[in-house]
Structures are given as C-alpha cells and as structure tokens.
Amino acid sequence: MVSGEVARVEGVAGRPQGSVRGAATRALILETAMASFRDQGYDRTTMRGIAQQAGVSVGNAYHYFGSKEELVQEFYAAIQDGHRRRAAQVLSRRDFTDRLRGVLHAGIDEMAPYHSFAGSFVKVAISPSSPSSPFSSESAAARAAAVGLFRDVVDGSDKRPGPLAQELPELLWLAYLGITLFWVYDTSPNQARTRRLVDSTARLASRLVSLSRLPGTRALTDDVRALLADLRHPEAQAAGLTGRPAR
Amino acid sequence: MVSGEVARVEGVAGRPQGSVRGAATRALILETAMASFRDQGYDRTTMRGIAQQAGVSVGNAYHYFGSKEELVQEFYAAIQDGHRRRAAQVLSRRDFTDRLRGVLHAGIDEMAPYHSFAGSFVKVAISPSSPSSPFSSESAAARAAAVGLFRDVVDGSDKRPGPLAQELPELLWLAYLGITLFWVYDTSPNQARTRRLVDSTARLASRLVSLSRLPGTRALTDDVRALLADLRHPEAQAAGLTGRPAR
DNA sequence: CCGCAAAGTTGAACGTGTTCAACTTTGCGG
DNA sequence: CCGCAAAGTTGAACACGTTCAACTTTGCGG
C-alpha cells in the first residue's frame, strides 16, 4: 500500500469507500448482525439491537449498510463463497452423477446452519426489486460464478453433454435454485427430504442428458434451447410473436 | 335464512364469524384495500390509509384482517377464482398444446392488471410460514383446485398421457408456478416475454409427454415419478437413505 | 502547527404495522 | 321491556426500519 494513502476496503456492493477505521466498524457491525441472525433469526434481529451490541449508534449502522436487507445480502454472498469452496473438494471424481450430487449436497451443507433463518432469507432474495435477487443485474457476477460452478461439473466429468452442452450449466443452476427453494420449505429432520431430492435430481439429470444425445430428440432439444433463450434474453424476440393483448 | 338467526358469512380463512353488520364492514375494508393495492401498490398502501378511506378505525380493520398480508391473501384467492373462470372458456378445444397454452395464458391474463403489485405479492406468497404459500397446508384446497385445472387440460385433450398420466397435472402445475415466478420478474412491455415463455413451455410439454410414451424411456419416467414423490410426500422414505449428516 | 474538507458518528424524529384495554352497539333470553 | 354477553369499534401506544441535520474525528496541504 502506498504510504500516505488512506487504506481502502470494499464490501460486496462497495457502498462507502471506507478507510481502515471505517472498515473496522463495518466489520464489527457485520459480525454482530451475522451472529444475531444466526441466534435469533431475521425478525427478532433489530437494527437497534445490532447497533447496541456492536457499541455503535443506529445511524452509524446505516452509514455502512443502507438497509437491513443489505445485511442479508452479505449473508447471501458469504454462503455462495462457502458453496464454491466446498464444491471444489468434491469435484475430484469423474462420474457426472457423482459430481452433480456432490455439488448440490455441498450447497445444502453450506446453508444447513441457517435453515431456521431461510424463510426470511428467501423473502428478501425473491423480491424482484432486491439487488440480492438471483435474477437481478446486480448479482450478475454471482450468478455467473454459480453457473460456472455447474459448468465445471459438466466439463470435468466423463459425460458427453451432447446438443445441450452450452445450456446444460444454466439448466443445472436452475434446478439448484428449485432445490434450494424446496429446502427452504423442508421441515423434515435434518432436511432429509431435500437430500433425497438431490439424489433424485442428479439421477434424473444424468439420464436426461444421455437421452438428449440419442437421435430423434432434435426437436425436443431445440424446444429446450428456445425455452432457455426466452428465459435468458430480455431483448430476444420470437418471429411473428408480438405478445398477446391482456384481454 | 332462518328468521331470528344472525346471518353468518365466512371469508377465505373464516376469521371472525361475522354477522351481516360485520360482513358489510369487512367487505368495505376489503374493497378499499383492493383499490388501494391496485392504484398505489403494496408498499404505498398503509393500514391507516385503508382505514381512513373506508371510514373505520385502524383497530377495526385489524378486527377483520389479522394483518396486512391477510389482505393480500384475499387478493390471491380472488385471482385463482378468476383463473378458473377464464380457463373454462378455453377448454373447448381438443388439442393438448392449445389447451395447455390457453390455460397458461388465462392465468397471465388474470394477473396482468396487478403486475406492478406482483413483487410484494410473491414476497408474501413465498414465505413458508405464510398460509398463502402455494405449498402450505392451509392452501391445500386451492392447490388441489389448481392441479385439478391441469387435470382437466389433460383429460379433455386428444393426447394420451402415457406412463406419467397420474403425475402430469402436478407437473404442469409446477411449470405454471415457474412461469408465474418468471412473470413477476418480467419487465418487458405487456409482459410479452412471459407470453413467449408460455408458448415455448406448451410446445415442450407436449413433446415431452409424447416422448414419455415411447419405449425405452421407462427408467426415465420412473425417475420422474420418484422425484415427484420426493416433492410430494413429507413422510415418504426412500429405502436405505437416512439423510446425510450436515458435515 | 493550523485550516479544512472528507469521513465517521450521533440520537431524535418520522411513518409504518400491530396490539390492546376500554368503550359502544347489537340482539337474544327472560 | 330489561339485562347481558357477544360482536363491533375506537384510538392511543409500542417497537420497528429508516432518515437526517448536526456534531466529532481524521488526516492531508500549507
């Protein structure tokens, strides 16, 4: 670091370009919030409580985090990092189903301690206006990383992806989102049902990929590609379709 | 109505077993809330505002509706009713793809006026603790009705559903949920992208059903059935799977 | 060492959803 | 017609997330 220059540290969204002093306070608030989220859940965690426990004023907390939701976003980012770290340990095997299973389980493992908090979590993440939504432009980087993780699952495996090679990672990511949603609702002991669902999903996905390589499924894979294109590109337009008037 | 007996009217959850007097107040509050939701959206609609415009006190509104979210649930139920009504008009054709397309479009048509309100809508519906969640036990009846709607799509069509006959309606309902979620995020003019997605989905679904009737897809359909069973039955246990310890 | 702009920090105040003890109205039993 | 219990109704009060004008601290230029 250049002498005479104030140390700069950036957070997830890089809100205030804080100095080292500010960064320390920021970290303290964040730590306190995380602990409170984990111990008391989202609703019982109050901004006043966080501020008091961190030994700062309420307004100061808002200097570093624009809202309570922004604190949740940090949570979200931390979990995604953890998922990637865990997944790396699992990607040594070659078998496609094993790799997929492993990465999916890794995600559930990472989230497990926060299951009681998941309800509020998903509530924040699902809001279209929220930057932490998995589909928002703000989380484009995180989304790309997550899709990249599933690209690794495919690329490092012994499975030839066939005609859906390009879109397979995205499809797997979508499946992972669905599983995550299921996990949020899963009240079975230790979320055992989600574990079962992961296994079913991995098996089914593997079989579907194999199927897609068979001749005679060209029309089908084309449809899948078209559907995914609709999901993906905001600007894409299908020929001759102008949208249907709302009655 | 028997003379001398207080008229009883029940709402969606049948909260207070109101008399005619209460029912009138209840309806007035509900109407005011609906109008406010439609005109100003969820966030800018305040309980004080509703009460004032309806000419009642805040506390009185809470006598009929336990929370602001409960008002949204009424909204939700009304839309489902409308969907069924619109769908009935579309189920005269025989072609499977047409029927599915029609029912899916009918749902979007019904929701269209409330798109700006959809973000808060889904936020309420997604919360696992919320009774209006599509997966909650409280909405079991509504869920059954919705699945039944897609059963009608299948049953009245010229398509032979094949080995997935039993679970097809549920699968289509899940697809509809996904499309609804997409619609919430869809900011394209008139939600044209969702219209395109509906068409893609109907085409793909039709082809998948045809495919499932082909020989050699038995293992696949078995996997699909297993996955759906995992999704459905809270108590089901797969042989030999005890769930994986969370690290 | 001084001045000063930027960063950090404060706590009162606002509007919100929600609760509740108290009050009023209703309508049936006697 | 008179209680009287149930239903309906009120508005003040509470805790919360959030805002903001004012104040304090920091650290560089001179």
Side-chain angles (χ1 to χ4, degrees), chain A residues 33-51:
Chain A
M34 295 286 187
S36 183
F37 280 150
R38 191 191 293 228
D39 295 346
Q40 320 194 41
Y42 181 79
D43 287 333
R44 278 211 291 268
T45 296
T46 69
M47 293 302 284
R48 285 171 176 80
I50 293 172

CSV table of all heavy atoms in Angstrom, one decimal, chain A residues 33-51:
chain,number,residue,atom,x,y,z
A,33,ALA,N,-24.3,-8.6,13.4
A,33,ALA,CA,-25.5,-8.9,12.7
A,33,ALA,C,-25.6,-10.4,12.3
A,33,ALA,O,-26.6,-11.0,12.5
A,33,ALA,CB,-25.6,-8.0,11.4
A,34,MET,N,-24.5,-10.9,11.8
A,34,MET,CA,-24.5,-12.3,11.4
A,34,MET,C,-24.8,-13.2,12.6
A,34,MET,O,-25.7,-14.1,12.6
A,34,MET,CB,-23.1,-12.7,10.9
A,34,MET,CG,-22.7,-12.0,9.6
A,34,MET,SD,-23.6,-12.7,8.2
A,34,MET,CE,-22.7,-11.8,6.9
A,35,ALA,N,-24.2,-12.9,13.8
A,35,ALA,CA,-24.4,-13.6,15.0
A,35,ALA,C,-25.9,-13.5,15.4
A,35,ALA,O,-26.5,-14.5,15.8
A,35,ALA,CB,-23.5,-13.1,16.1
A,36,SER,N,-26.4,-12.3,15.3
A,36,SER,CA,-27.8,-12.1,15.7
A,36,SER,C,-28.7,-12.9,14.8
A,36,SER,O,-29.7,-13.5,15.2
A,36,SER,CB,-28.1,-10.7,15.8
A,36,SER,OG,-29.4,-10.5,16.2
A,37,PHE,N,-28.5,-12.8,13.5
A,37,PHE,CA,-29.3,-13.6,12.5
A,37,PHE,C,-29.3,-15.0,12.9
A,37,PHE,O,-30.3,-15.7,12.9
A,37,PHE,CB,-28.7,-13.4,11.1
A,37,PHE,CG,-29.1,-12.1,10.5
A,37,PHE,CD1,-28.3,-11.4,9.6
A,37,PHE,CD2,-30.4,-11.4,10.8
A,37,PHE,CE1,-28.7,-10.2,9.0
A,37,PHE,CE2,-30.7,-10.2,10.2
A,37,PHE,CZ,-29.9,-9.6,9.3
A,38,ARG,N,-28.1,-15.6,13.1
A,38,ARG,CA,-28.0,-17.0,13.4
A,38,ARG,C,-28.7,-17.4,14.7
A,38,ARG,O,-29.3,-18.4,14.8
A,38,ARG,CB,-26.5,-17.3,13.5
A,38,ARG,CG,-26.2,-18.8,13.5
A,38,ARG,CD,-24.8,-19.2,13.8
A,38,ARG,NE,-23.8,-18.7,12.8
A,38,ARG,CZ,-22.9,-19.5,12.3
A,38,ARG,NH1,-22.7,-20.7,12.8
A,38,ARG,NH2,-22.0,-19.0,11.4
A,39,ASP,N,-28.5,-16.5,15.7
A,39,ASP,CA,-29.1,-16.9,17.0
A,39,ASP,C,-30.6,-16.6,17.2
A,39,ASP,O,-31.3,-17.4,17.8
A,39,ASP,CB,-28.3,-16.1,18.1
A,39,ASP,CG,-26.9,-16.5,18.2
A,39,ASP,OD1,-26.5,-17.5,17.6
A,39,ASP,OD2,-26.1,-15.7,18.9
A,40,GLN,N,-31.0,-15.5,16.6
A,40,GLN,CA,-32.4,-15.1,16.8
A,40,GLN,C,-33.2,-15.1,15.6
A,40,GLN,O,-34.4,-14.8,15.7
A,40,GLN,CB,-32.4,-13.7,17.5
A,40,GLN,CG,-31.3,-13.4,18.5
A,40,GLN,CD,-31.6,-12.2,19.3
A,40,GLN,OE1,-32.7,-12.0,19.7
A,40,GLN,NE2,-30.5,-11.4,19.6
A,41,GLY,N,-32.6,-15.3,14.5
A,41,GLY,CA,-33.4,-15.2,13.2
A,41,GLY,C,-33.5,-13.8,12.7
A,41,GLY,O,-33.1,-12.9,13.4
A,42,TYR,N,-34.2,-13.7,11.6
A,42,TYR,CA,-34.2,-12.4,10.9
A,42,TYR,C,-35.1,-11.4,11.7
A,42,TYR,O,-34.8,-10.2,11.9
A,42,TYR,CB,-34.7,-12.5,9.5
A,42,TYR,CG,-34.8,-11.3,8.7
A,42,TYR,CD1,-33.7,-10.7,8.2
A,42,TYR,CD2,-36.0,-10.6,8.5
A,42,TYR,CE1,-33.7,-9.5,7.4
A,42,TYR,CE2,-36.1,-9.5,7.7
A,42,TYR,CZ,-34.9,-8.9,7.2
A,42,TYR,OH,-35.0,-7.8,6.5
A,43,ASP,N,-36.3,-11.8,12.0
A,43,ASP,CA,-37.4,-10.9,12.5
A,43,ASP,C,-37.0,-10.4,13.9
A,43,ASP,O,-37.2,-9.2,14.2
A,43,ASP,CB,-38.7,-11.6,12.6
A,43,ASP,CG,-39.3,-11.8,11.2
A,43,ASP,OD1,-39.0,-11.0,10.3
A,43,ASP,OD2,-40.1,-12.7,11.0
A,44,ARG,N,-36.4,-11.3,14.7
A,44,ARG,CA,-36.1,-10.8,16.1
A,44,ARG,C,-34.8,-10.1,16.1
A,44,ARG,O,-34.4,-9.5,17.2
A,44,ARG,CB,-36.1,-12.1,17.0
A,44,ARG,CG,-37.4,-12.5,17.5
A,44,ARG,CD,-37.4,-13.1,18.9
A,44,ARG,NE,-36.7,-14.4,18.9
A,44,ARG,CZ,-37.2,-15.6,18.8
A,44,ARG,NH1,-38.5,-15.6,18.6
A,44,ARG,NH2,-36.5,-16.7,18.8
A,45,THR,N,-34.1,-10.0,15.0
A,45,THR,CA,-32.9,-9.2,15.0
A,45,THR,C,-33.3,-7.8,14.6
A,45,THR,O,-33.9,-7.6,13.5
A,45,THR,CB,-31.9,-9.7,13.9
A,45,THR,OG1,-31.5,-11.0,14.3
A,45,THR,CG2,-30.7,-8.8,13.7
A,46,THR,N,-33.0,-6.8,15.5
A,46,THR,CA,-33.4,-5.4,15.2
A,46,THR,C,-32.2,-4.6,14.9
A,46,THR,O,-31.1,-4.9,15.5
A,46,THR,CB,-34.2,-4.8,16.4
A,46,THR,OG1,-33.3,-4.6,17.5
A,46,THR,CG2,-35.4,-5.7,16.8
A,47,MET,N,-32.3,-3.6,14.1
A,47,MET,CA,-31.2,-2.7,13.9
A,47,MET,C,-30.7,-2.0,15.2
A,47,MET,O,-29.5,-1.8,15.4
A,47,MET,CB,-31.6,-1.6,12.9
A,47,MET,CG,-31.9,-2.1,11.5
A,47,MET,SD,-30.5,-3.0,10.7
A,47,MET,CE,-29.5,-1.7,10.2
A,48,ARG,N,-31.7,-1.7,16.0
A,48,ARG,CA,-31.3,-1.1,17.3
A,48,ARG,C,-30.5,-2.1,18.1
A,48,ARG,O,-29.5,-1.8,18.8
A,48,ARG,CB,-32.5,-0.7,18.1
A,48,ARG,CG,-33.2,0.5,17.6
A,48,ARG,CD,-34.5,0.8,18.3
A,48,ARG,NE,-35.2,2.0,17.9
A,48,ARG,CZ,-35.8,2.2,16.8
A,48,ARG,NH1,-36.0,1.2,15.9
A,48,ARG,NH2,-36.4,3.3,16.5
A,49,GLY,N,-30.9,-3.4,18.1
A,49,GLY,CA,-30.2,-4.5,18.8
A,49,GLY,C,-28.8,-4.6,18.3
A,49,GLY,O,-27.8,-4.7,19.0
A,50,ILE,N,-28.6,-4.7,17.0
A,50,ILE,CA,-27.3,-4.8,16.3
A,50,ILE,C,-26.4,-3.7,16.8
A,50,ILE,O,-25.3,-3.9,17.2
A,50,ILE,CB,-27.4,-4.8,14.8
A,50,ILE,CG1,-28.2,-6.1,14.3
A,50,ILE,CG2,-26.1,-4.7,14.2
A,50,ILE,CD1,-28.5,-6.1,12.9
A,51,ALA,N,-27.0,-2.4,16.6
A,51,ALA,CA,-26.2,-1.3,17.0
A,51,ALA,C,-25.7,-1.3,18.4
A,51,ALA,O,-24.5,-1.1,18.7
A,51,ALA,CB,-27.0,0.0,16.7
